[in-house]
Amino acid sequence: MKINPSYYYYLSLLGFFGLFIWLMLWNTVLGTHTSKFPVALMLVITVTPLLLPMRGLLNRNKRSCAWAAYISLAYFIHGAAETYVNSDQRWYFALEVLFSLMLFFGTTFYVRFVGKHPS
């Protein structure tokens, strides 16, 4: 059974934009804002790493896809730690874990199988 690498690419895009939109919503609308940092600074810190491989990811560049997978691991670690620590907001951070895993596995499998599939 062969799976088209495009499905992995679409999974990675869903994870990427899901994570991007989720971080924007969390820092602006949904968050509790107990931080002493301004919202703009929190957006720069959390969203900027996702913007680095975005152009290459949209152009299906394998190297940018690999870098997006590496960057998604930081979001996975953050989401997993916050899920464990904050029991009252566990589901919010579980979404961050879900989107980061979608991005990681989608880009990893896309890079792995894109060269082996006849187009």
Side-chain angles (χ1 to χ4, degrees), residues 51-63:
L51 297 177
L52 297 174
M54 183 176 175
R55 182 176 178 186
L57 183 69
L58 293 176
N59 289 330
R60 296 183 182 217
N61 184 343
K62 289 194 295 187
R63 183 173 286 184

Side-chain angles (χ1 to χ4, degrees), residues 63-100:
R63 183 173 286 184
S64 296
C65 289
W67 274 105
Y70 300 144
I71 290 170
S72 72
L73 293 176
Y75 293 103
F76 171 75
I77 292 170
H78 176 260
E82 290 291 336
T83 301
Y84 180 73
V85 172
N86 293 330
S87 60
D88 53 336
Q89 297 175 345
R90 184 165 286 160
W91 296 108
Y92 293 127
F93 294 109
L95 278 173
E96 182 178 2
V97 170
L98 176 70
F99 288 135
S100 64

Side-chain angles (χ1 to χ4, degrees), residues 11-21 50 54 57 99 103:
L11 177 68
S12 68
L13 285 182
L14 185 64
F16 179 82
F17 286 112
L19 188 61
F20 184 81
I21 291 168
L50 281 176
M54 183 176 175
L57 183 69
F99 288 135
L103 177 59

